[in-house]
Amino acid sequence: MVQRFKSFKRFTVLSLFIAGGGMAIAQSATGPRAGVDWPGFRGISAGGVDDGKPLPLQWSVPDSKLVKWKVPISGLGHSSPIVWGDQVCTASAISGTPDPQLKVGLYGDIGSVLDQTEHKWIVACFDKRTGKPRWEKIATSGVPIIKRHPKSTHASSTLATDGRHIIAMFGSEGLYAYSLTGDVLWKKDFGRLDSGFYMVPDAQWGFASSPIIHNGRVIIQADVQKGSFVAAFDVRTGRELETGKEIWRMTGGGDIPVPTPIAGQGLVFITNAHGKASPIYAIKPTATGDITLKEGESSNAHIAWSYLRDGGYMQTPIVYGDILYVCRDNGVLTAFDAKTGTRHYQARLGDGKTGFSASAVAAAGRLYFTSEDGDVYVVKAGPAYELLATNSLGEVAMATPAISEGTLLFRTRNHLIAVSER
């Protein structure tokens, strides 16, 4: 039986102990190689950092400047690229509609896209050096069970790999395990997973939570309208494993939590937004019990520091060095001392009219922020704001990039793109 919990949309945050391993991703002795592998959303430990080799500072995809390769991807997908060795993979949902709607930008429309054509859900892998296709598999096909948000897709979850298995989560269309060469190993059907706005149930937005692989277990979080759950499966067989016990909980925050919790500088950072609050919490890993802040508090025995109004809505924040960077949908970037919460600066990326949904990545003293319009803003790491460059991808970009051996890998609306000095 999967572990059921009250929806995060009810302002509750839980920390779970899953069958011998915590929810955070850890790197084992036989795990991914720093600088080479990018095994899931935001890479190793979801940290978004790869200091192995410098990345390009200035490029232009429309002008083919420093474009190593560029290959077309069918369908829509905000699934970020993942990398293991010399293979890069992503997922997509191919609609029967020739040009399916994808509406980006800053707007408040909560409605859904009704596309009742037959879709194909695919996993596709490519050669990291050349971009040549390695293999492509259709996981399933049919009319989507639930609708999606105009800014979302039916393939928004990022794949996960441990170097032996590739895990693809397509929400209501199921969970799939492949070998690195594309053989189907096992699959799971969870039935209808209705992700959307809990205050307006008819507003269906699509599933987006990405799987992780930790200590031989596939861990899934499904925050849905009814029957939300966390589950752990044996990565080799798909067998459901013993579920976890709660370590701590807290109440309070935005009503539509999206960003992934991250760890850095000895703390766990949780941020969310929407509704009346947009908090940031810096939580001690020793926390236990109910750690909810009392009215007027910004810290307690379990929470090192917090802010009520500086959290991000869509982007996962990033800890680089001793600084926590939090970027909002409108491009407002705030830098904090990760340990103390001291605010270093607040600045705006772009003109305030474009949206930012992809999460930041960092390497060699630089941070890379990708706008929905496909402009990548390169910011110097440190306590003072300095914009180093702005680079064009030439297409809508919603997915978080990957980094491997000095190469930036971008998933845009229609392409997979490798940008590199070499």
Side-chain angles (χ1 to χ4, degrees), residues 12 38 69 81 88 117 139 158 191 207 243 260 287 311 343 346 362 412 417:
T12 301
W38 193 268
W69 50 260
V88 54
T117 63
T158 296
F207 195 91
T243 52
T260 297
R343 191 194 313 267
Q346 189 171 83
T412 63
I417 303 167

Side-chain angles (χ1 to χ4, degrees), residues 256-275:
I256 306 177
V258 176
T260 297
I262 60 169
Q265 293 294 324
L267 295 168
V268 175
F269 298 95
I270 293 176
T271 180
N272 56 70
H274 200 269

Side-chain angles (χ1 to χ4, degrees), residues 236-255:
R236 299 165 301 172
T237 66
R239 180 176 63 88
E240 188 174 328
L241 303 173
E242 178 188 2
T243 52
K245 64 179 181 180
E246 179 182 310
I247 295 178
W248 59 261
R249 69 165 53 223
M250 68 180 301
T251 301
D255 58 4

Side-chain angles (χ1 to χ4, degrees), residues 2-26:
V2 292
Q3 177 72 33
R4 302 285 172 175
F5 60 84
K6 189 177 291 186
S7 171
F8 282 97
K9 300 183 184 74
R10 304 296 184 184
F11 315 107
T12 301
V13 178
L14 304 177
S15 178
L16 300 174
F17 184 90
I18 305 293
M23 276 295 287
I25 309 171

